[in-house]
Amino acid sequence: MATLLAKNIHTLATMDDAGREMSNAAIFVRDNVIEAVGTLADMPAQTADTVLDLSWHVVIPGLANTHHHMYQSLTRVLAQECELFDWLKTLYPIWARLRSEHVYISAKLAMAELMLSGCTTSSDHLYIYPNDVTLEDEIRAAQEIGIRFHAARGSMSLGESKGGLPPDSVVENEEAILRDTRRLIEQHHDSSCYAMLRIAVAPCSPFSVTQDLMRESATLARSYGVHLHTHLAENDKDIAYSLSQFGQRPGDYAEATGWVGADVWHAHCVHLNHDEIQLFAHTQTGVCHCPSSNMRLASGIAPLRAMLDAKVKVGLGVDGSASNDSGHLLTEARQAMLLQRFGGNPAALSAREALRVATRGGAAVLGRDDTGMIAPGMAADFVAYRLDNIAFAGATHDPIAALVFCQPGTVDVSVINGKLVVQDGRLLTVDLPVLIEKHNQLSRQLINGD
């Protein structure tokens, strides 16, 4: 059995139930599981197959990204002054040209970007399947690069001719959607502890699928015991659409279609009201907060503080790389903290709360009880940032808070499922320059229509 020892850790934030923070700490890993956390003297062995000296590092659990559209990394910095609906209408025709290679390469690049920011677990919401695209394109990328992955089989079935937002050319038949979703769950979903791959059922949004598909998707997901994911209450037009088409606010719509419960998480939820927050709290429905994307599209500021106070499960997401133009998850923790203070309360969200949302919160939203903290019996997913760089100068008296307050950096070390995937700031599982070159080539071709 392979072993790994991280020793002499300058500062360790475990994010465990007691919120323990340690100096000169150590972590011992056997295979893919954390066996011991404490001082070096507490470890079951003083050496291991792999030994990491983290004397100049702050270590935290790996971050969990709970919402993304990875293919959008191909179409960054377009529709620069559009809100959500106009932004989508601008980009749908470009995305209609996607092929399998585009999705595979863009997913691998997006995963690399996330991993270098400190992410060890990510979901992705792929809801457009033109040409030869399949969800396996992303699954292959995740397995090759070594990230823990929740692949959400998204879908759009309600085209413009039937009152939806997307053009008819990019929607699918609902029976075909459900049939392919069943296939993916049966072939790929792993419900076991420490699973590296899980499947979620994820109709895109109230304005791109029918209520029938929402209900049938919920029934399908629960028959297999997998999670459900969609967009909800993202901006004012989203609310107006729900009211005009269904006569319901988003929370009522979600409840009526079976989309509340501990197995559900919704992206954005920028405009949930008090009653909807309470509904999500008592049904244990999860939320993914995407601060940068919401600012980019002028959607508003999600009521994160109110959700946390009500005990709603909340995680963070970078959202699509065409509405964020970045995939740096630690940046989202910083943005989340700053946005909650924007209303005038400098204590609205602390740095440690933001990191907890990014780790424990994200794990809970994804239904994981084996990730999100550094403790014996948990999956060996943790990351380390160097403290001896310019971003942390003057802030080493509180390295944990510095991760959020100071300029977000890239990881120096990342361990996922007990394997070293980033060392000395270099991603070990992919040739990054070659990947970037190929990604840029495909991006140019896609945008230009070549």
Side-chain angles (χ1 to χ4, degrees):
M1 296 196 301
T3 56
L4 181 148
L5 174 65
K7 65 179 184 178
N8 304 327
I9 300 170
H10 183 285
T11 304
L12 170 64
T14 64
M15 297 293 167
D16 65 9
D17 292 340
R20 288 187 303 160
E21 298 175 2
M22 307 166 151
S23 300
N24 197 25
I27 303 168
F28 190 86
V29 173
R30 195 177 300 277
D31 286 340
N32 62 337
V33 181
I34 296 172
E35 188 170 301
V37 180
T39 67
L40 186 58
D42 299 324
M43 298 300 104
Q46 301 299 296
T47 189
D49 298 321
T50 301
V51 178
L52 305 173
D53 189 326
L54 303 180
S55 303
W56 291 98
H57 297 76
V58 55
V59 174
I60 62 172
L63 307 176
N65 178 41
T66 59
H67 185 65
H68 207 336
H69 309 295
M70 292 179 176
Y71 73 88
Q72 291 181 13
S73 62
L74 293 161
T75 55
R76 287 172 166 163
V77 202
L78 294 172
Q80 295 177 17
E81 297 175 359
C82 292
E83 55 73 47
L84 175 65
F85 279 28
D86 292 338
W87 174 85
L88 283 168
K89 289 178 179 179
T90 302
L91 288 164
Y92 281 140
I94 300 173
W95 297 337
R97 298 193 285 266
L98 286 165
R99 293 193 173 274
S100 174
E101 186 180 27
H102 293 103
V103 174
Y104 165 68
I105 292 294
S106 61
K108 185 173 276 192
L109 182 126
M111 292 168 185
E113 187 174 21
L114 284 167
M115 290 163 71
L116 288 170
S117 78
C119 178
T120 57
T121 299
S122 183
S123 66
D124 190 65
H125 190 188
L126 181 62
Y127 56 78
I128 188 166
Y129 293 85
N131 306 307
D132 59 343
V133 171
T134 68
L135 194 60
E136 274 89 354
D137 299 325
E138 294 194 329
I139 290 171
R140 178 161 64 101
Q143 291 174 335
E144 289 174 358
I145 205 167
I147 196 169
R148 200 178 294 277
F149 192 47
H150 287 235
R153 205 300 182 181
S155 55
M156 297 191 294
S157 65
L158 192 66
E160 285 179 310
S161 65
K162 296 181 179 179
L165 190 71
D168 291 351
S169 62
V170 296
V171 301
E172 297 176 89
N173 171 271
E174 294 193 349
E175 183 51 46
I177 291 167
L178 294 168
R179 184 169 56 250
D180 189 53
T181 303
R182 289 188 200 98
R183 177 190 68 81
L184 287 160
I185 296 169
E186 290 174 0
Q187 290 185 11
H188 298 292
H189 181 70
D190 183 354
S191 61
S192 66
C193 191
Y194 314 124
M196 289 294 287
L197 176 62
R198 290 183 178 169
I199 304 295
V201 180
C204 184
S205 62
F207 52 80
S208 60
V209 300
T210 66
Q211 287 177 289
D212 284 344
L213 184 61
M214 292 294 287
R215 292 189 182 97
E216 290 184 42
S217 294
T219 300
L220 172 64
R222 289 179 175 128
S223 72
Y224 283 99
V226 303
H227 272 55
L228 301 99
H229 181 50
T230 192
H231 297 86
L232 197 74
E234 187 168 352
N235 74 354
D236 290 335
K237 285 187 178 181
D238 194 354
I239 302 292
Y241 185 91
S242 290
L243 290 171
S244 66
Q245 296 296 314
F246 315 123
Q248 295 175 310
R249 280 192 55 85
D252 296 326
Y253 171 86
E255 187 172 30
T257 53
W259 278 71
V260 293
D263 55 355
V264 179
W265 88 100
H266 296 281
H268 301 297
C269 297
V270 175
H271 295 284
L272 291 188
N273 64 23
H274 173 78
D275 290 343
E276 289 164 328
I277 291 172
Q278 294 303 311
L279 170 67
F280 280 23
H282 80 251
T283 58
Q284 300 180 59
T285 303
V287 170
C288 171
H289 177 39
C290 303
S292 292
S293 175
N294 296 157
M295 286 189 288
R296 205 269 212 193
L297 297 176
S299 298
I301 302 173
L304 177 58
R305 181 73 267 165
M307 288 191 275
L308 292 176
D309 289 345
K311 308 302 182 187
V312 175
K313 293 185 299 186
V314 185
L316 291 180
V318 298
D319 198 14
S321 291
S323 66
N324 180 333
D325 310 287
S326 172
H328 198 295
L329 195 53
L330 190 57
T331 294
E332 298 309 309
R334 186 173 193 265
Q335 299 284 40
M337 180 187 75
L338 296 178
L339 272 182
Q340 292 307 299
R341 298 177 178 211
F342 187 73
N345 178 7
L349 191 72
S350 72
R352 283 169 171 78
E353 284 179 304
L355 283 176
R356 198 168 186 86
V357 170
T359 52
R360 290 292 296 272
V365 162
L366 294 175
R368 309 286 313 211
D369 59 5
D370 53 359
T371 66
M373 62 176 164
I374 298 173
M378 301 298 288
D381 294 1
F382 59 88
V383 293
Y385 301 82
R386 288 196 71 93
L387 292 171
D388 56 345
N389 65 53
I390 196 167
F392 293 124
T396 55
H397 57 90
D398 191 349
I400 296 167
L403 285 174
V404 182
F405 274 98
C406 299
Q407 175 184 317
T410 54
V411 294
D412 189 56
V413 171
S414 177
V415 173
I416 302 179
N417 206 42
K419 296 180 180 178
L420 188 62
V421 295
V422 177
Q423 186 173 30
D424 298 327
R426 185 173 65 88
L427 194 55
L428 303 178
T429 53
V430 69
D431 189 333
L432 198 54
V434 171
L435 176 62
I436 293 169
E437 182 179 4
K438 182 62 176 177
H439 182 276
N440 281 331
Q441 177 192 353
L442 291 172
S443 173
R444 286 190 296 269
Q445 292 172 352
L446 184 70
I447 293 170
N448 295 334
D450 297 341

